[in-house]
Amino acid sequence: MKVVIIGGVAGGASAAARLRRLNEHAQIIVFERTGFVSYANCGLPYYIGGVIEDKEKLTLNTPESFWDRFRVDVRVRHEVTSIDTKNKTVTVHGLDTGKTYQESYDKLLLSPGARPIIPKMPGIESPRIFTLRTVEDTFKIKQFIEEKQPKSAVVVGGGFVGLETAENLHVAGINVTLVELLDQVLTTLDYDMASFIHSAFRCEGINLRLSSEVEGFIDTEKGIRVNIKNSEPIDTDMVLFCIGVRPDSGLAKSAGLELGIKGSILVNDKMETSEKDIYAVGDAIQIKHTITGEPALVSLAGPASKQGRIAADNINGGDSRYKGSPGTSVIKLFDITAASTGLTETAAKAKGYDYEKIILSPPSHATYYPGAKTMTVKLIFEKSSLRILGAQIVGYDGVDKRIDVIATAISLGASALDLMDLDLAYAPPYSSSKDPVNMAGFVIENIITGKVKQFHWHDIENLPKDGSVILLDTRTPAESSKGIIDGFKNIPVDDIRERIGELDRNKPVYITCQVGIRGYIACRILEAEGFDVYNLSGGYRFYETVMKDKCPSPETYTCGADKK
């Protein structure tokens, strides 16, 4: 059996290695148009910033190592220009030799990945504008920085690559402005959760220009000018264009393969395309979203690697199936980690789900062990079925661990209440006896059983200020003196029982504290006395970050118990 693989990196390289482990006698040829077949795509921004110092570390496998270990014939700098499905051949162009030839196949695997989106606009061809997708792109950017010593840079686009590149340019000593068309960065998060990233970037000195549309570029004597619609232009030394990617499916389209959403390659759960003996994996394909069951694009290395393994199984006569993806992701930005899985609230609302959300800010580990840090968890679940629709976590420590637990729960069909009962590892340096994931389950149980009612940060502006409701801040006087929501009266939670006479039982009470715990306790006290009470989800800390652009701090976790 002769297998030709078009494209390496996560999907193609994984498929080649898996296929050899399954079949020692198959002839395997990999064509890769860049000079690198298997590299750390997600590590590219960190080489620019100097976090990864040795460029050799970016290369996971070379053509030579593939041959030595797996006897796979890897031909880099070779671009496949067409596929003849009838005669089962591909046309290959050697980018260094200039020669063109045909290669036959019994089975063909497409792993072409995705290409950066480069819209047509004035000045887009400037030599000072860069994209970041391949190792060659990285070296080009690094060389420009070393030779030209730029003092400033504009990053266009606030997705994963844009944010990581902005951070690393900043680390390299360059003054960075990030321009984003939307009113937030990182759309795997909702606006409120993305606010933590906005604040962190501004605190680090990165200029954020949100809700800003780039109209074009003009080369100047000293650099390049970025024109912004209805706003002042930005003069800078270089531009990184990172507004997203699109499936690189041109080869598949010209071969007559059926396409899916946004021009992606349509495959079934065995990674088979519409053409017999042709498979496809990675960023170029359409998959099924685990939550909605609808077609989706997920440009992540994890799914691509799994798809490569599944395709190899099936090429070798197996019966492996890809179950889809909830799009679990994580990113480190300065000291903050942001992670998500499943649907955001924005997506859940757009899909018409009848959902509820919770926001809590538990400690990363036991508070009596030094160094506990606050993380913020937002979880969305379907009201009727209690199915987990998605989760987002932003914090400083232990974020990846918790998002992986929730992603696992989603994949196994656990309900939101099942989170209460998960038996998770506990030792003081790593967690609490009630892990943040357990705590999310407890909060949900309190809400659906009516033990507490909640309101959210976006409800506050509509609360009446005419005295018809009671607005109560249950933090300590020292905390509330540093910032309090307009119209709220401070009565510390520990004093509520003695000062209950100050409250009118005939009026609804809206309560806040720092992160929600004391608010919940106050709600239980007042409800037992006949009050109609509501707790602010996420507390004042969350409200302050979203509404006041407050810089988050990796402070030791506290819920006010040690403050007077």
Side-chain angles (χ1 to χ4, degrees):
M1 177 172 62
K2 182 178 181 181
V3 181
V4 169
I5 300 174
I6 302 174
V9 199
S14 295
R18 172 68 170 177
L19 188 58
R20 174 58 73 221
R21 291 194 294 270
L22 296 174
N23 190 327
E24 180 63 21
H25 303 292
Q27 181 183 1
I28 307 170
I29 303 173
V30 178
F31 292 111
E32 168 60 45
R33 65 170 164 246
T34 74
F36 301 84
V37 65
S38 179
Y39 57 89
N41 189 288
C42 298
L44 300 182
Y46 299 100
Y47 178 68
I48 293 172
V51 177
I52 299 174
E53 298 179 354
D54 184 359
K55 66 181 180 180
E56 300 298 326
K57 297 291 186 182
L58 296 174
T59 303
L60 303 179
N61 280 292
T62 65
E64 292 77 20
S65 67
F66 252 110
W67 178 258
D68 292 342
R69 179 65 54 86
F70 299 110
R71 294 299 188 268
V72 170
D73 181 3
V74 175
R75 305 176 193 178
V76 296
R77 300 282 297 162
H78 281 71
E79 182 174 14
V80 175
T81 57
S82 65
I83 302 170
D84 184 340
T85 58
K86 182 178 180 180
N87 294 307
K88 301 183 77 169
T89 62
V90 295
T91 300
V92 186
H93 178 66
L95 298 179
D96 292 331
T97 65
K99 294 181 179 179
T100 298
Y101 62 95
Q102 275 72 45
E103 191 76 49
S104 64
Y105 66 84
D106 296 313
K107 305 285 185 179
L108 179 65
L109 174 64
L110 307 181
S111 179
R115 288 183 180 271
I117 297 173
I118 308 294
K120 294 181 180 179
M121 60 175 60
I124 195 67
E125 302 297 333
S126 170
R128 291 181 177 268
I129 298 177
F130 303 88
T131 59
L132 181 57
R133 185 67 180 173
T134 67
V135 174
E136 287 90 343
D137 293 336
T138 310
F139 293 162
K140 186 178 179 182
I141 295 167
K142 186 79 168 180
Q143 182 180 2
F144 181 88
I145 293 173
E146 291 175 347
E147 293 179 356
K148 304 297 183 181
Q149 297 290 306
K151 299 294 188 294
S152 64
V154 168
V155 176
V156 182
F160 288 102
V161 176
L163 292 173
E164 290 174 339
T165 303
E167 175 194 3
N168 279 279
L169 289 172
H170 177 80
V171 169
I174 298 172
N175 183 25
V176 179
T177 297
L178 190 146
V179 181
E180 168 57 48
L181 178 63
L182 303 177
D183 63 353
Q184 70 165 89
V185 300
L186 209 60
T187 55
T188 53
L189 304 178
D190 287 310
Y191 174 85
D192 47 17
M193 297 294 284
S195 295
F196 287 90
I197 308 301
H198 300 163
S199 297
F201 265 50
R202 290 183 175 120
C203 287
E204 291 289 343
I206 292 178
N207 179 28
L208 284 186
R209 297 279 293 269
L210 303 176
S211 301
S212 298
E213 181 179 355
V214 174
E215 290 189 313
F217 307 90
I218 299 175
D219 283 318
T220 64
E221 291 184 5
K222 296 182 178 180
I224 184 170
R225 175 167 293 171
V226 184
N227 289 322
I228 311 294
K229 185 176 182 179
N230 299 324
S231 185
E232 290 295 316
I234 305 170
D235 288 315
T236 189
D237 296 324
M238 63 184 299
V239 173
L240 273 294
F241 214 86
C242 309
I243 66 171
V245 297
R246 60 167 53 97
D248 191 357
S249 57
L251 192 62
K253 181 179 180 180
S254 63
L257 274 60
E258 190 173 345
L259 302 183
I261 59 172
K262 298 182 179 180
S264 57
I265 304 171
L266 192 65
V267 297
N268 60 19
D269 59 358
K270 297 183 71 172
M271 317 317 298
E272 296 171 323
T273 70
S274 58
E275 183 66 34
K276 181 178 173 56
D277 294 328
I278 300 181
Y279 299 73
V281 299
D283 296 355
I285 71 167
Q286 171 185 298
I287 67 163
K288 180 181 73 173
H289 195 282
T290 302
I291 304 297
T292 65
E294 297 176 352
L297 298 178
V298 176
S299 298
L300 296 169
S305 294
K306 297 178 185 70
Q307 293 156 14
R309 178 185 176 93
I310 289 169
D313 288 352
N314 295 321
I315 287 172
N316 197 55
D319 187 22
S320 294
R321 309 277 175 157
Y322 185 66
K323 297 179 180 180
S325 170
T328 306
S329 64
V330 65
I331 186 172
K332 175 200 147 314
L333 298 167
F334 297 107
D335 293 333
I336 284 183
T337 299
S340 67
T341 187
L343 301 180
T344 60
E345 180 184 1
T346 303
K349 183 181 296 184
K351 296 292 183 183
Y353 285 100
D354 184 19
Y355 68 90
E356 183 59 276
K357 63 183 175 184
I358 61 162
I359 298 167
L360 63 155
S361 298
S364 57
H365 61 247
T367 55
Y368 60 81
Y369 187 88
K373 304 295 192 300
T374 303
M375 67 175 67
T376 299
V377 181
K378 180 175 184 178
L379 191 142
I380 301 100
F381 62 96
E382 193 172 30
K383 288 182 180 179
S384 59
S385 67
L386 299 184
R387 182 167 68 120
I388 303 169
L389 297 177
Q392 302 156 56
I393 309 178
V394 179
Y396 303 90
D397 187 23
V399 169
D400 55 334
K401 170 182 175 180
R402 276 61 186 224
I403 205 68
D404 282 345
V405 171
I406 297 173
T408 301
I410 289 175
S411 296
L412 297 179
S415 78
L417 286 184
D418 289 330
L419 300 180
M420 294 191 299
D421 302 320
L422 294 178
D423 190 5
L424 304 175
Y426 159 58
Y430 302 107
S431 184
S432 301
S433 58
K434 298 175 181 177
D435 187 86
V437 175
N438 298 138
M439 289 299 299
F442 297 148
V443 173
I444 292 167
E445 192 270 342
N446 283 338
I447 290 172
I448 67 173
T449 58
K451 293 183 180 68
V452 67
K453 292 179 287 188
Q454 61 179 349
F455 68 109
H456 304 286
W457 64 270
H458 48 77
D459 298 322
I460 291 176
E461 64 176 352
N462 296 320
L463 293 177
K465 305 297 192 298
D466 58 2
S468 60
V469 301
I470 298 172
L471 305 177
L472 187 61
D473 187 317
T474 62
R475 297 175 296 159
T476 65
E479 289 173 302
S480 62
S481 67
K482 297 177 182 178
I484 192 169
I485 302 174
D486 185 42
F488 277 68
K489 175 183 179 180
N490 179 234
I491 300 180
V493 64
D494 294 340
D495 298 341
I496 282 181
R497 292 180 178 88
E498 289 72 28
R499 297 177 62 179
I500 202 167
E502 300 178 26
L503 306 177
D504 187 342
R505 297 174 187 270
N506 296 314
K507 296 179 180 179
V509 184
Y510 291 84
I511 296 175
T512 184
C513 65
Q514 188 67 7
V515 295
I517 297 175
R518 285 170 286 171
Y520 167 59
I521 294 170
C523 283
R524 297 304 300 153
I525 294 171
L526 293 178
E527 185 174 316
E529 296 295 332
F531 286 84
D532 181 23
V533 288
Y534 301 82
N535 190 29
L536 176 62
S537 65
Y540 182 79
R541 179 179 181 271
F542 192 71
Y543 170 85
E544 187 179 41
T545 300
V546 178
M547 298 298 292
K548 299 185 178 182
D549 202 28
K550 176 70 174 181
C551 292
S553 171
E555 76 279 0
T556 298
Y557 179 87
T558 178
C559 63
D562 58 346
K563 295 183 178 181
K564 302 298 182 184

